[in-house]
Amino acid sequence: MSSETAKNPPADPKNGDLRLSEANLDRLPGQIRRPAYDRSRVTPGIVHLGIGAFHRAHQAVVIDDLLAGGATDWGIVGASLRSADTRDALAPQDCLYTLAIRSGEGTDHRIIGSVLAIEVAKEKPGQLIARLANPATRIVSLTVTEKGYCHTPQTGDLDEHHPDIAHDLQNPDTPHSAIGFLVTALARRRIAGEPPFTVLSCDNLSANGHTVGRIVMQFAALRSRDLAKWIEAEVAFPSTMVDRIVPETTDADRAAVSSALGLIDAWPVVTEPFTQWIVEDRFPAGRPDFATAGVQLVSDVTPFEHMKLRLLNASHSALAYLGYLAGFETIAATMTDEHFAAFARQVMQDAAPTLAMPRGTDLAGYSASLLQRFSNPALHHRTWQIAMDGSQKLPQRLLATMQDRLRLGLPIDTHALAVAGWMRYVTGTDEQGHAIDVRDPLAAKLKAIAESAGPVADRLAPALLEVDSIFGTLGTDPRMRSAVTEALTNLFKVGARQAVQTFRVA
Ligand code: CS2
């Protein structure tokens, strides 16, 4: 994202404008942790598609721990599908970067060395395909965000009309999408008689492994039925639940980190102390000894994934839309309002009866810890950032819970207010009449719907509920229509702050 590009890296009085790099590691203040292994001896075993801040603050840190423990053949080659920003920022610093862990107690800095190289797929697609096809690559992991899967969020099926998919079917050797790269590389492996890599989705999708597997097979079937059959028989797509809050890096973060280091880091990542990774243990091509780095290996990740999506991400999105409309810039600021905090708790409470957790799971404790994490005053996590791509996020975060609650005969007014918040947000005009920069693959369509309906809940709510790729059959349910219309009517009437304040929480 260009807003994350390094701007005016600050000069340090001691080290001038020296850059963080292998050669300069010795200049770091003694307390700053750095790779405890010889990076020149590490070979790549993982290719990661979508090397953004989230991957660098989460999976790359786990791998850094494993490399420190002696697993020298599991280094990461990162790839950006389009933008050269991350590569341009990190290549001059030997792909080293800082993890800044922030809490109310201060910041802990650590240098991460597990990323060995970064490629830009758009520049050299053939090079990335060759790397993926190389049998040394045993895991291909992904954080390409929800929209990167080119699927219909409501059904989980490949969107055959997606422009990138249409392109990739015509141009298998120069794909644009992650799906196109995976399938071309898998086809090469098959022809070469090599075993496939394991595909590890680390995005916030429901049943992310199963979902990416289905999309990959549907795409492959459009190219060759035999290829699709081979993928179905041979390729593992374990599901994962990945959790760490990672706000976008700001120029102020860059300045603060560079000053703590005494060296310039063009793109550090800032995060919270909490981190969690739960992975289904299906890696026929081998895997690092994840458990030694605190990763939980399970046979079925689904309940944990649902728990995270319906408690954490659902309340995050609810706070993002309603908080933004109420004029709060960050999640932590939104949480300082007790009514918003109570509303977030209610979103979680309402999701609880829809979850089937393993015995002994402490949902109340989990929810309490989420509220605490959201309140971390040192994280500047913008409501606007989380509000992005709602059309891709709503189904698994909010709508699945509503569907289940309706099935159970339970009321849906809490989630209806959150969905109404999204509807009010995507009109593109805030409560003061200012424009909202709505980022969403469906932004233009949503805006057109909002313009034709006007700011009238009775017209806008039903019109948006008809967007099938988001709402599916739920959008036609009369209980859904009336709950959302009622919530949106109130939002237009009294505004988000008062709507949340007067919302009856249990
Ligand atoms: C957030 C997530 O941006 C968003 O939509 O809800 O990125 C969230 O911070 C992570 O899933 C936390 O693990």
Side-chain angles (χ1 to χ4, degrees), residues 204 242-245 308 312-313 316 381 386 393 397:
N204 284 322
V242 222
D243 187 8
R244 190 165 221 182
I245 294 176
K308 191 211 162 201
L312 188 161
N313 297 113
H316 233 188
H381 203 186
I386 299 162
K393 293 174 175 173
R397 294 182 179 206

